[in-house]
Amino acid sequence: MLLTIDIGNTAVTLGVFRDTPATKPDPNDLSPAQRLVTTLRIATDSRRLADEYAILLRNLLEFRGIAPADITAACICSVVPPLTGLFEDVCRNFFGVPPLLVNSQIDLGMPVRYDNPRDVGPDRIVDAVAAVKLYGAPVVVVDLGTATVFDAVSRDGEYLGGAIAPGINLSADALYDNTSLLRRVELVAPPAAVGRNTTAALQSGLVLGYAGLVTTMVQRFKAEIGTDAKVVGTGGLVTVIADHAPVFDDINQELTLVGLDLIYRMNGAE
């Protein structure tokens, strides 16, 4: 089985896929969704040691009925440099497999038109690869996580770039940390955009405000890459916004894991 590991700023997301030939993706293969056995999420913590993460991963996998010996391959993308090598060590030393690390030097399955491809977060490329495979091109990916990230793929299947804004929780924390009277609130939409109390006013700005951000940015992206572009939402906070930003063609929380599976196979990794 292939263990896919997406190391994000807030959470580490893992997926386990059934064995497939390590060759370029074949349209006749089972779909990624059919091959995805299970997913797991753990908190990102740079203070943990490799042994701690290994024990945590082993226990979680065994809880899902997967023995460490069942893992025969691994693929990693990371935006947290201190944890990248640590998880490589976990894969080698505790699962006995050398992981494929996603970076600009391997076959990513699409041309990257960023000014400097090395500057693109690997998770952004991985999401784009999965989105094109599942939804076709052109496509816009909206990832609502620690940051709110928009990525665009052209009609020709080229990764063009995108936009980055602070995530909803980051903005909420900034308000809480830098004001004396504002407090943390539940991230749900208020009854109306005009808040009649401080809690509702904060919820309006955070939830409806970000819904407006997403809606406007998607419109701008579509104007540049094609009005027929599909829009795919992902990330831990996408469900907070989706009902109030009617721009998504689909919500796919496994997008990064699917992309890691595809890229692993593209590179013929053993």
Side-chain angles (χ1 to χ4, degrees), residues 80-139:
V80 186
L83 289 182
T84 305
L86 185 148
F87 271 91
E88 288 183 287
D89 289 343
V90 168
C91 291
R92 289 192 181 94
N93 298 332
F94 294 92
F95 293 102
V97 295
L100 175 68
L101 181 63
V102 175
N103 55 46
S104 61
Q105 307 306 306
I106 67 172
D107 181 4
L108 297 171
M110 65 171 53
V112 177
R113 302 306 184 202
Y114 222 58
D115 289 344
N116 184 352
R118 293 176 182 267
D119 287 345
V120 187
D123 55 335
R124 298 174 67 185
I125 302 297
V126 171
D127 284 351
V129 168
V132 171
K133 171 69 175 179
L134 298 177
Y135 305 100
V139 64

Side-chain angles (χ1 to χ4, degrees), residues 16 37 76 99 106 136 202 241:
V16 178
V37 176
I76 298 172
I106 67 172
L202 284 166
I241 296 300

Side-chain angles (χ1 to χ4, degrees), residues 10-264:
T10 302
V12 179
T13 306
L14 306 105
V16 178
F17 290 81
R18 292 186 178 90
D19 291 330
T20 58
T23 58
K24 293 186 181 295
D26 184 335
N28 296 318
D29 285 345
L30 292 174
S31 70
Q34 291 173 306
R35 288 186 286 101
L36 182 59
V37 176
T38 191
T39 62
L40 302 162
R41 285 171 62 85
I42 57 179
T44 299
D45 188 347
S46 297
R47 297 169 299 178
R48 281 190 178 132
L49 303 177
D51 290 0
E52 294 176 287
Y53 269 115
I55 293 170
L56 183 59
L57 264 61
R58 184 194 67 187
N59 290 342
L60 288 171
L61 289 171
E62 289 181 342
F63 180 75
R64 297 292 177 89
I66 299 168
D70 294 335
I71 302 300
T72 57
C75 187
I76 298 172
C77 76
S78 173
V79 297
V80 186
L83 289 182
T84 305
L86 185 148
F87 271 91
E88 288 183 287
D89 289 343
V90 168
C91 291
R92 289 192 181 94
N93 298 332
F94 294 92
F95 293 102
V97 295
L100 175 68
L101 181 63
V102 175
N103 55 46
S104 61
Q105 307 306 306
I106 67 172
D107 181 4
L108 297 171
M110 65 171 53
V112 177
R113 302 306 184 202
Y114 222 58
D115 289 344
N116 184 352
R118 293 176 182 267
D119 287 345
V120 187
D123 55 335
R124 298 174 67 185
I125 302 297
V126 171
D127 284 351
V129 168
V132 171
K133 171 69 175 179
L134 298 177
Y135 305 100
V139 64
V140 177
V141 178
V142 184
D143 183 354
L144 287 114
T146 306
T148 298
V149 181
F150 303 83
D151 291 299
V153 179
S154 73
R155 196 175 304 279
D156 295 326
E158 302 169 311
Y159 177 84
L160 300 177
I164 304 172
I168 303 172
N169 278 331
L170 280 180
S171 294
D173 288 344
L175 284 172
Y176 175 78
D177 291 338
N178 292 282
T179 61
S180 298
L181 297 179
L182 299 182
R183 55 188 178 274
R184 298 188 190 279
V185 296
E186 184 181 4
L187 290 178
V188 296
V194 179
R196 298 301 183 92
N197 54 67
T198 302
T199 295
L202 284 166
Q203 291 172 331
S204 179
L206 291 169
V207 178
L208 301 184
Y210 267 83
L213 166 68
V214 169
T215 301
T216 298
M217 291 301 292
V218 166
Q219 290 172 347
R220 287 179 177 272
F221 273 44
K222 281 188 159 188
E224 294 183 20
I225 70 170
T227 56
D228 60 334
K230 293 293 178 63
V231 181
V232 185
T234 191
L237 295 171
V238 68
T239 53
V240 174
I241 296 300
D243 289 342
H244 312 287
V247 296
F248 296 107
D249 293 291
D250 195 22
I251 303 298
N252 190 329
Q253 297 286 25
E254 280 79 49
L255 197 65
T256 309
L257 301 178
V258 168
L260 286 170
D261 171 66
L262 292 169
I263 289 174
Y264 176 84

